[in-house]
Amino acid sequence: MDTTRLTEIASLIADSTRAEMLLALMDGQPKCASELAVSANVSTSTASHHLSALVKGGVVDVVQVGRHRYHRLAGYQVADLIEILGNLAQGLGRVSKKELLTPCRSCYDHLAGRVGVAVRVGLEDRGFLVLENDRFLVTPAGGEFFGSFGLDMGSLRAGKRPLTKACIDWTERVPHLGGALGAALLGKLFERGWLERGGLPRQVVVTPVGKECLASVFGAMI
């Protein structure tokens, strides 16, 4: 392990302003410097200075859209690291925000909170997933189920990202479904209108039809 690189990354995350901006990017949505400045309660120029350090350090990527520059986490590995640190800290952000994010939120690009855990439990109860160490095995029945739900399991299995991950939820303290499958599933739930993004970064709202469908299709009682 490169200890120099390790300390560089640790020092980048350790700054409170940069930490706030990284948390704001945990919803997986690219954001401009002014948006991140609001999240961190600093000026845009100060946010830009910190973002330059994060980009240089390989923690954040820049997406250029015309004249505009947007920022996003450099990958799911960065999101995993932030989530792990959140678990060690026994929760992220202020208590009021935590309460709003506890019911349902995104963990970078997959579903978390009480709803995320309920979906995972429902999938296990129906024999579609089996927990094995730090990941979930997708059973043959599970492969058929996810395929019928519109997910391309062949492409997901062939990708570089692990298919599944047992991601420990920082509010529920038990695993939810992460990995490529978890990300694809959340995308499909948004696409079907069962979930919508809330007013806070990472906040997710279950729609009325979503509540019924999550119960009937996934066995997720919420």
Side-chain angles (χ1 to χ4, degrees):
M1 179 181 293
D2 185 345
T3 55
T4 300
R5 180 70 179 135
L6 180 64
T7 55
E8 287 176 353
I9 294 174
S11 64
L12 284 171
I13 298 175
D15 180 90
S16 59
T17 298
R18 291 194 286 267
E20 286 285 358
M21 292 192 291
L22 290 172
L23 290 177
L25 292 172
M26 278 290 286
D27 63 356
Q29 303 299 300
K31 294 179 174 62
C32 62
S34 59
E35 292 177 288
L36 294 169
V38 172
S39 297
N41 196 29
V42 295
S43 67
T44 301
S45 60
T46 299
S48 297
H49 171 75
H50 285 294
L51 286 168
S52 295
L54 291 169
V55 171
K56 183 178 180 181
V59 177
V60 167
D61 285 338
V62 175
V63 181
Q64 191 79 35
V65 181
R67 298 179 180 179
H68 303 286
R69 288 164 56 90
Y70 296 90
H71 299 81
R72 65 186 180 191
L73 296 183
Y76 68 88
Q77 298 96 331
V78 178
D80 287 347
L81 173 59
I82 295 171
E83 192 74 7
I84 290 169
L85 291 173
N87 276 305
L88 290 174
Q90 296 294 314
L92 305 178
R94 290 175 288 276
V95 173
S96 59
K97 284 188 177 181
K98 179 178 176 180
E99 291 173 349
L100 291 171
L101 295 177
T102 294
C104 189
R105 66 182 181 279
S106 60
C107 177
Y108 185 48
D109 60 1
H110 54 273
L111 187 61
R114 292 195 194 108
V115 175
V117 171
V119 168
R120 185 268 301 168
V121 170
L123 290 170
E124 283 191 283
D125 288 346
R126 296 191 173 197
F128 298 153
L129 295 177
V130 176
L131 180 63
E132 183 181 82
N133 300 320
D134 63 347
R135 61 180 180 141
F136 294 99
L137 297 179
V138 180
T139 65
E144 293 182 7
F145 168 78
F146 291 118
S148 68
F149 197 67
L151 305 184
D152 187 343
M153 294 301 292
S155 296
L156 293 175
R157 292 182 190 276
K160 293 182 179 180
R161 185 175 182 180
L163 179 64
T164 66
K165 179 184 177 182
C167 185
I168 302 299
D169 196 281
W170 60 264
T171 56
E172 305 307 297
R173 314 305 296 168
V174 293
H176 57 244
L177 175 62
L181 179 58
L185 180 59
L186 178 57
K188 185 63 66 173
L189 293 174
F190 279 132
E191 180 184 313
R192 293 196 174 194
W194 296 6
L195 301 177
E196 295 176 346
R197 296 196 180 277
L200 292 174
R202 303 185 66 185
Q203 187 179 32
V204 174
V205 177
V206 181
T207 64
V209 67
K211 184 174 182 178
E212 294 180 9
C213 293
L214 287 175
S216 61
V217 177
F218 291 89
M221 308 308 295
I222 55 177

